[in-house]
Amino acid sequence: MNSSTAVIYFARSAGEEVKHKVFCSSNPRLNDAIALQLYNHSHTQVAKTGLPFFCYTEKNQQGSGFSEKLSNAFLEVFNKGYQAVIAIGSDSPGITSRHITDAAQQLCHNKVVAGATKQGGCYLIGVQKQAFDYATFKELSWQTCQLSEQIINTFSIVALLPVLSEINKQSHLSALGQVSSKIKASIRRLIVLINSYRTNCFFSFKLLAVPHPFLSSNIFGRA
């Protein structure tokens, strides 16, 4: 694996995330458990790549807003001597270590790589050091549904990864019940987690419409 490429895991801790996002308004315990599952999943996928990585949570992010904090994180890691940097967050349960390693390989030949979400955001962005401009990067429409399109328009050539879903609110979670039978293991685990809270009427209703064998299986563990 290319040691000149590093990964930034840029995400609030699960405890801090639930102060800003509501995944389940009627069950605080489930809300906390979902946030923790999302955070741990992405962290595990980064670790599996074997690439050097740096975690940036609310404890060490520097800046006055999301765009400034992320831009500062990129700048800091570039200043450590890395020639390419990839950043991911915790809001896409479909992300795997393969997406990250594919991005690292793409950065050997492309200045920018991006993984768009169905909601118009990005679950991954990677940039070569020579293509990183702090001011341009900071002015991108982070945390909006225009981000992925803007990245494509801003940089002349962008290598694109497969499109994934992101989960930032309760309505995004309900859409999990509409995915295909080829659903990824990470999302299955999240559905099993939700399904374990049978007292929650909202999710019980949604999951009744998902006749998938994995919902009754114990092979993915318990929450």
Side-chain angles (χ1 to χ4, degrees), residues 147-188:
L147 178 60
S148 58
E149 182 178 357
Q150 188 181 36
I151 288 174
I152 293 172
N153 292 333
T154 299
F155 300 97
S156 56
I157 299 177
V158 180
L160 299 177
L161 298 176
V163 176
L164 299 179
S165 293
E166 61 181 294
I167 295 177
N168 287 305
K169 54 187 178 181
Q170 186 165 292
S171 61
H172 292 165
L173 272 172
S174 66
L176 289 177
Q178 302 171 13
V179 294
S180 73
S181 59
K182 294 183 179 179
I183 183 171
K184 292 187 179 296
S186 57
I187 301 179
R188 288 201 297 268

Side-chain angles (χ1 to χ4, degrees), residues 26-64:
S26 60
N27 191 324
R29 288 181 60 206
L30 178 55
N31 196 58
D32 293 348
I34 292 170
L36 183 60
Q37 169 72 10
L38 290 170
Y39 183 91
N40 287 345
H41 168 72
S42 294
H43 186 278
T44 298
Q45 298 309 308
V46 174
K48 285 172 63 177
T49 66
L51 291 166
F53 71 96
F54 304 88
C55 294
Y56 284 83
T57 68
E58 69 279 358
K59 295 180 180 180
N60 61 340
Q61 294 172 359
Q62 301 294 323
S64 59

Side-chain angles (χ1 to χ4, degrees), residues 93-119:
I95 193 170
T96 67
S97 59
R98 181 63 182 271
H99 291 109
I100 303 169
T101 55
D102 282 353
Q105 292 172 358
Q106 292 281 4
L107 283 172
C108 294
H109 311 286
N110 299 277
K111 293 182 178 180
V112 179
V113 59
T117 69
K118 293 180 180 179
Q119 292 80 8

